[in-house]
Amino acid sequence: MNDPATEYRPGPFSPLGGRPTRDEPLLAPVFGSWRDMVGRTLLLHPLGAAAGVVLLVLDGGQSGLAAPVLLVATLGPLWLNNLTAWFVSVAPTKRLLDEPGRYVTAREGGLRYSTLAVALRMADVPEERWVLLRLGAGARAQLRADPRLWLVGPGRKGVALAATPGSAILRVARVQSRPPRGARPVTPLANGPSAPCDDAAVQAHMRSRRRISALSSVWWLLVLGWLVQSHLPVLLRTEDPGRNAWVLAAALAIAGLAVFSAGAYLTEFVRAGRASRALTWTPLPATIDGEIEHSGHLTAHAKGRVRLPDGTERLVSFAGVSPDLLADVASSGLLWVLGALRHGGRAVAGVPGKPLAESVTLGRRTMEG
């Protein structure tokens, strides 16, 4: 085991409790933005599909079968996922926002994992009650060290909202009298400070992010290959390039997006791999300036200030990061950087013991620094 940085310990974010969930200053905006996004995409995805069909018709068959396959494979699952989320998650949980939440702890041996769900047996109720929800690999590792959930409800048909310790993201859960079929008990993990390279939650989260980054970059490279194969020969053969100029311009724009996206995901793959090998944490005193802006994709934007180890104060930008990171910074007053600070404006930040690893940008010095 590597020696962790223990000079600072975070005051982790925790919901206030004792009030309706819609009045929680950090939980409610995150859930509300996600709910609004689901509603918008139920309309936007069919409109995007219709626009794609028009482009394919005007394209005169130059794109072949690859274009409709990519269109259906991209927008179809997204629309079905959001349609399911609206009726299964959003609508049934609307009334739960009027109820307060509380922490529930697992009984000894009361944490079980199946392929699709996590089941936690509540210790504060006399009868057998299990909370079921879906979590990623990082959050699963976190629960093995800290088997608690922030629970709102349950309401009708056992529907509830739940969040892992220190998380500002409410997930739809169900409360029932038995664990899911095939769920098996898991071995607890030690709950204590450790270096990023030894932190089970951080490592599981990093592996997941690297896998997603690799698959996303491959997908965008396939899109680029399809565009080159289907449109470049037509552009070279045609005697009148202006005839389908706007179709070709759209193809070039998508190709540019594909190159940029593939490069961004490959960069994220490399950055996550480097951060996962960090031997220590670097805690920086930090402050959030202004309001936190939430997006429906469970990301947030904010600006703030950090004080570096040499005493200088610099601006910091949080763009498209997890709301959990901003909630912890606002609560603890610390920004935890994985590894030592490098020269340059980029750093990877997280929280010890939590499945977080987000890129932040360090800007210019402030007047006070």
Side-chain angles (χ1 to χ4, degrees), residues 17-18 24-25 69 138 163 213 223 231 239 251 348 359 365:
E24 290 282 354
V69 169
S213 297
V223 171
H231 286 78
E239 298 178 357
V348 177
S359 295
R365 294 184 180 184

Side-chain angles (χ1 to χ4, degrees), residues 39-256:
R40 288 195 304 270
T41 52
L42 289 178
L43 176 64
L44 293 178
H45 283 164
L47 290 178
V53 170
V54 172
L55 287 174
L56 293 176
V57 171
L58 296 177
D59 194 23
Q62 297 173 7
S63 300
L65 292 176
V69 169
L70 284 172
L71 186 66
V72 173
T74 302
L75 292 181
L78 290 174
W79 187 80
L80 290 175
N81 177 71
N82 286 315
L83 182 67
T84 303
W86 181 265
F87 289 103
V88 176
S89 303
V90 176
T93 56
K94 185 176 181 180
R95 294 183 180 179
L96 291 176
L97 297 178
D98 296 324
E99 299 183 16
R102 80 281 187 192
Y103 272 115
V104 295
T105 306
R107 290 190 176 186
E108 185 176 355
L111 187 63
R112 300 185 183 183
Y113 290 174
S114 67
T115 303
L116 298 178
V118 170
L120 181 145
R121 184 179 180 182
M122 293 188 288
D124 58 351
V125 293
E127 64 274 11
E128 185 175 356
R129 286 291 182 268
W130 294 81
V131 183
L132 276 64
L133 73 163
R134 294 188 177 185
L135 294 174
R140 289 184 173 216
Q142 179 189 5
L143 277 188
R144 291 175 62 186
D146 187 6
R148 298 179 299 144
L149 289 173
W150 179 263
L151 186 68
V152 182
R156 295 179 56 188
K157 298 182 179 180
V159 177
L161 294 172
T164 54
S167 176
I169 300 175
L170 289 169
R171 297 173 171 86
V172 178
R174 292 190 178 275
V175 178
Q176 59 188 44
S177 59
R178 62 185 62 185
R181 183 177 300 177
R184 298 180 178 181
V186 294
T187 305
L189 297 175
N191 187 12
S194 60
C197 60
D198 296 322
D199 193 309
V202 172
Q203 289 299 309
H205 179 67
M206 286 295 196
R207 287 192 294 270
S208 178
R209 287 196 63 165
R210 283 167 59 86
R211 188 181 305 114
I212 293 173
S213 297
L215 292 175
S216 299
S217 63
V218 169
W219 190 91
W220 280 109
L221 289 174
L222 289 175
V223 171
L224 179 63
W226 158 68
L227 287 170
V228 172
Q229 179 272 333
S230 60
H231 286 78
L232 184 59
V234 176
L235 179 62
L236 295 177
R237 289 197 308 265
T238 182
E239 298 178 357
D240 184 13
R243 181 180 179 183
N244 295 317
W246 71 275
V247 175
L248 294 172
L252 290 175
I254 298 175

